[in-house]
Amino acid sequence: MACGFRRSIACQLSRVLDLPPEYLIKSISAVPISRKEEVADFQLSVDSLLENNNDHSRPDIQLQTVRLAEKLKCDTVVSEISTGPGTVNFKINRELLTKTVLQEVIEDGSKYGLKSELFSGLPQKKIVVEFSSPNVAKKFHVGHLRSTIIGNFIANLKEALGHQVTRINYLGDWGMQFGLLGTGFQLFGYEEKLQSNPLQHLFEVYVQVNKEAADDKNVAKSAHEFFQRLELGDTQALALWQKFRDLSIEEYIRIYKRLGVHFDEYSGESFYREKSQEVLKLLDSKGLLQKTIKGTAVVDLSGSGDPSSICTVMRSDGTSLYATRDLAAAIDRMDKYNFDKMIYVTDKGQKKHFQQVFQMLQIMGYDWAERCQHVPFGVVQGMKTRRGDVTFLEDVLNEIRLRMLQNMASVKTTRELENPQETAERVGLAALIIQDFRGFLLSDYQFSWDRVFQSRGDTGVFLQYTHARLHSLEETFGCGYLNDFNTACLQEPQSVSILQHLLRFDEVLYRSAQDLQPRHIVSYLLTLSHLAAVAHKTLHIKNSPPEVAGARLHLFRAVRSVLANGMTLLGITPVCRM
């Protein structure tokens, strides 16, 4: 792999610089391809090697670079050594490059790039990822959709790297809304509607009872009483609440399946009603709990009364709050999973909340609080379906499928499909995910259906189209060619650019693993698809000599394999026809 080459270069550098190869490997990076000129395959940044050298009067970098290059020799792996601004560049023997990359892509399959030396010595960790987390009976808004696809990507990536991942959906399944819902269901609920479409019906009941409670104090009083009965463990009230929760989860599982997302645990705020009381006792025993004039309990994280650092942990009636339940959940998960890392995926509006939760865990004496991480994301504006604002995730999925089916019907090249609905949904989801993942997760962006479904340009539709087209090549020409191939037949610039790009896949995965940003992988896959489109026009298989056709088929098969790997990590199911 790229790393076999990296190690070979590092070993030679190690002898000249008297540094261990392991120290050098991460300073050797694959060179991004250029459309204007053929570039070297790897480069060493001399500056990065000298970063640890505190001697500020170090000689001119360029002079050092040239001197280092003069001491290095070409060998069976490296065919050319040159220098750039502060870099030593290495060109790999072309036939060796071709054979090694294509062999490894095919042999490593879905593990290509992940066996890289960049990941060697990476300890296997227990990782908990909490994501999606909608509120039962409330809107499944676009923030929940972002949390779902981002959390799924992070869990996929961590799993691919060999970590033990637990995916948790922490539902908003407790609180005053259930007082309203219990009362509302007794007034306006229908059992058959609840069974046939629980999310829709509970939402309708919730909207209606909220209106009533605003006009009628008796309804508001009745809702408050119902929630108190829940808090006190009244069996009838709890049975109705349990039914709402169970039916909602059944519906969520069905919808998440359409998204290609699964969870290991459906947890929720309700789990931590009693445990949050234990948290309050613990805070009190450590002298951290302060009572206010209003009767609420707060924790002053600044120790100096700074209002911005005061976190409310108990209402005046003694019931717990969101923050208290999050503390209880974190402590419980540590006991249960003994995690090395716990990642919360929510919008950036909750940044302060998590800072306070992690800080409180620290002052309560839980040193493992530093293993907790919040991955925040920005706001999506303007996502509407034809029915109006997004209320349910299913509305988005249905809209995607409908629009994509219309698009596919209008394109003359669309082939007859066995299951057009499923294909439309998979292509549409790819479009949605790529639009979301192209930029920094923290950035807000304006949603546009038209931009999502463009077939040209840098979109998910283009990735799916490229994958389907390459799959069709393999089907048309069969696998008869794929036993062996002649590396000398793949020396055209288009082939070399693809091979150089395939070489970089491990680095892209490494970068995403470091900062948990999917944009590196998205950008890589879009470039790969553009390179494949150019090669498809110029490197013909039909009417080429068998040896040439076989080699080219190998190349296209490798592109499709890496494209599928990257898409799968992002949470996209590649389609074979469209």
Side-chain angles (χ1 to χ4, degrees):
M1 151 118 241
C3 268
F5 297 137
R6 263 195 212 99
R7 177 166 280 285
S8 178
I9 294 167
C11 286
Q12 193 184 159
L13 284 165
S14 161
R15 290 191 289 272
V16 172
L17 296 168
D18 199 21
L19 289 166
E22 275 63 33
Y23 177 86
L24 297 161
I25 279 168
K26 286 178 186 170
S27 298
I28 300 164
S29 56
V31 180
I33 54 147
S34 162
R35 291 189 180 168
K36 294 174 189 167
E37 57 185 356
E38 192 184 334
V39 292
D41 303 307
F42 289 97
Q43 62 183 26
L44 170 81
S45 164
V46 176
D47 204 22
S48 72
L49 279 185
L50 300 174
E51 270 173 15
N52 299 333
N53 183 348
N54 295 323
D55 176 13
H56 294 293
S57 62
R58 63 193 189 199
D60 173 53
I61 294 284
Q62 199 54 35
L63 188 63
Q64 293 230 38
T65 302
V66 173
R67 280 182 186 160
L68 175 57
E70 284 168 355
K71 292 177 189 171
L72 300 169
K73 292 183 174 69
C74 294
D75 53 22
T76 53
V77 174
V78 177
S79 62
E80 201 177 292
I81 298 168
S82 60
T83 58
T87 61
V88 179
N89 305 322
F90 302 89
K91 185 175 174 181
I92 303 298
N93 172 315
R94 283 288 163 257
E95 291 203 9
L96 183 65
L97 174 81
T98 309
K99 191 169 185 179
T100 309
V101 171
L102 295 187
Q103 247 176 4
E104 296 214 354
V105 171
I106 305 303
E107 283 171 16
D108 290 351
S110 63
K111 290 283 175 202
Y112 178 71
L114 295 161
K115 292 182 174 183
S116 162
E117 201 132 37
L118 294 175
F119 299 111
S120 71
L122 188 76
Q124 286 199 346
K125 293 183 175 177
K126 292 178 189 160
I127 295 173
V128 171
V129 187
E130 182 203 289
F131 63 105
S132 193
S133 308
N135 297 303
V136 174
K138 289 188 180 178
K139 285 186 178 186
F140 190 111
H141 59 72
V142 186
H144 293 125
L145 176 60
R146 280 207 92 182
S147 173
T148 307
I149 59 177
I150 293 165
N152 187 49
F153 159 70
I154 291 171
N156 287 347
L157 183 62
K158 294 289 185 188
E159 228 159 46
L161 291 168
H163 301 301
Q164 188 183 324
V165 177
T166 303
R167 301 159 186 250
I168 295 181
N169 197 339
Y170 183 67
L171 300 174
D173 63 356
W174 200 252
M176 194 55 212
Q177 84 233 42
F178 283 94
L180 284 159
L181 211 50
T183 298
F185 193 73
Q186 287 162 347
L187 292 171
F188 320 112
Y190 293 95
E191 187 62 33
E192 59 273 24
K193 281 189 178 180
L194 179 68
Q195 295 293 337
S196 65
N197 195 341
L199 299 182
Q200 176 83 36
H201 188 51
L202 288 175
F203 178 67
E204 285 165 359
V205 167
Y206 185 65
V207 169
Q208 202 170 350
V209 75
N210 260 304
K211 281 181 192 160
E212 295 288 327
D215 300 333
D216 186 342
K217 283 183 180 168
N218 286 331
V219 174
K221 185 173 176 241
S222 166
H224 196 76
E225 284 167 2
F226 189 91
F227 185 55
Q228 277 187 320
R229 281 167 57 202
L230 270 179
E231 289 263 86
L232 294 167
D234 175 86
T235 48
Q236 247 183 323
L238 276 173
L240 187 60
W241 168 83
Q242 190 70 49
K243 186 198 283 187
F244 292 162
R245 188 182 193 278
D246 291 347
L247 288 168
S248 295
I249 287 176
E250 270 178 43
E251 190 76 347
Y252 282 137
I253 290 170
R254 183 182 68 76
I255 296 163
Y256 284 130
K257 196 174 176 184
R258 282 179 69 179
L259 257 180
V261 171
H262 73 277
F263 292 92
D264 301 301
E265 184 184 305
Y266 279 85
S267 171
E269 294 183 65
S270 61
F271 284 52
Y272 301 106
R273 309 194 299 279
E274 286 156 23
K275 286 181 176 168
S276 57
Q277 294 303 319
E278 291 167 26
V279 167
L280 291 171
K281 282 178 193 162
L282 185 58
L283 285 165
D284 200 23
S285 70
K286 289 183 177 285
L288 297 166
L289 215 54
Q290 298 174 14
K291 284 277 171 68
T292 66
I293 304 164
K294 293 176 186 171
T296 59
V298 299
V299 175
D300 176 10
L301 293 165
S302 68
S304 60
D306 175 4
S308 68
S309 297
I310 286 174
C311 184
T312 307
V313 288
M314 188 183 80
R315 291 192 185 91
S316 54
D317 63 1
T319 55
S320 63
L321 284 147
Y322 186 53
T324 335
R325 295 193 283 269
D326 260 349
L327 289 169
I331 295 163
D332 179 59
R333 288 172 195 170
M334 190 62 194
D335 289 343
K336 189 172 176 182
Y337 297 112
N338 189 26
F339 57 78
D340 298 296
K341 191 86 176 164
M342 178 153 65
I343 298 167
Y344 297 85
V345 185
T346 73
D347 68 81
K348 61 185 177 185
Q350 295 196 44
K351 191 177 174 185
K352 185 180 176 185
H353 164 77
F354 283 108
Q355 280 174 343
Q356 292 188 330
V357 167
F358 301 161
Q359 217 176 328
M360 274 191 279
L361 286 169
Q362 285 277 17
I363 60 174
M364 286 165 80
Y366 296 114
D367 291 342
W368 49 260
E370 63 193 23
R371 301 183 201 174
C372 298
Q373 179 185 359
H374 177 218
V375 174
F377 54 81
V379 178
V380 183
Q381 283 123 353
M383 186 191 270
K384 285 181 162 57
T385 65
R386 285 161 209 218
R387 289 169 52 182
D389 284 333
V390 172
T391 305
F392 303 108
L393 173 58
E394 192 152 30
D395 291 342
V396 179
L397 297 179
N398 292 342
E399 184 86 5
I400 281 171
R401 188 167 62 192
L402 181 68
R403 284 177 184 259
M404 202 61 228
L405 277 169
Q406 288 173 343
N407 277 21
M408 283 158 56
S410 67
V411 177
K412 288 174 186 160
T413 54
T414 300
R415 300 170 64 174
E416 281 296 313
L417 300 168
E418 279 174 35
N419 191 338
Q421 301 252 349
E422 185 181 84
T423 301
E425 191 155 300
R426 285 178 177 174
V427 175
L429 268 174
L432 187 76
I433 288 170
I434 294 300
Q435 160 141 321
D436 199 282
F437 285 179
R438 278 186 63 191
F440 285 95
L441 294 181
L442 255 181
S443 304
D444 301 338
Y445 73 90
Q446 192 67 34
F447 184 84
S448 154
W449 284 111
D450 291 339
R451 200 166 62 241
V452 164
F453 288 117
Q454 281 172 353
S455 56
R456 295 179 185 279
D458 292 347
T459 65
V461 179
F462 175 53
L463 289 188
Q464 288 284 34
Y465 174 71
T466 305
H467 185 272
R469 194 183 201 183
L470 295 172
H471 186 269
S472 162
L473 268 185
E474 284 175 49
E475 272 193 331
T476 307
F477 295 100
C479 294
Y481 287 126
L482 291 175
N483 298 329
D484 199 11
F485 65 98
N486 183 351
T487 53
C489 296
L490 289 175
Q491 299 309 316
E492 309 89 347
Q494 299 90 331
S495 303
V496 173
S497 290
I498 286 176
L499 291 162
Q500 287 180 310
H501 196 59
L502 293 175
L503 200 58
R504 295 183 60 230
F505 190 51
D506 62 343
E507 269 179 33
V508 172
L509 296 178
Y510 182 74
R511 207 169 300 153
S512 279
Q514 295 297 104
D515 64 8
L516 302 183
Q517 296 281 334
R519 65 191 180 90
H520 309 300
I521 297 172
V522 169
S523 169
Y524 175 89
L525 296 180
L526 289 165
T527 301
L528 184 60
S529 296
H530 284 297
L531 291 171
V534 171
H536 189 267
K537 282 179 189 162
T538 51
L539 305 179
H540 301 133
I541 293 172
K542 195 176 179 181
N543 301 329
S544 292
E547 199 177 39
V548 174
R552 288 174 179 175
L553 204 53
H554 248 90
L555 183 70
F556 287 126
R557 185 188 180 196
V559 171
R560 187 187 65 77
S561 175
V562 174
L563 191 56
N565 292 352
M567 287 163 80
T568 306
L569 281 177
L570 295 173
I572 296 168
T573 305
V575 299
C576 295
R577 285 186 179 80
M578 65 179 275

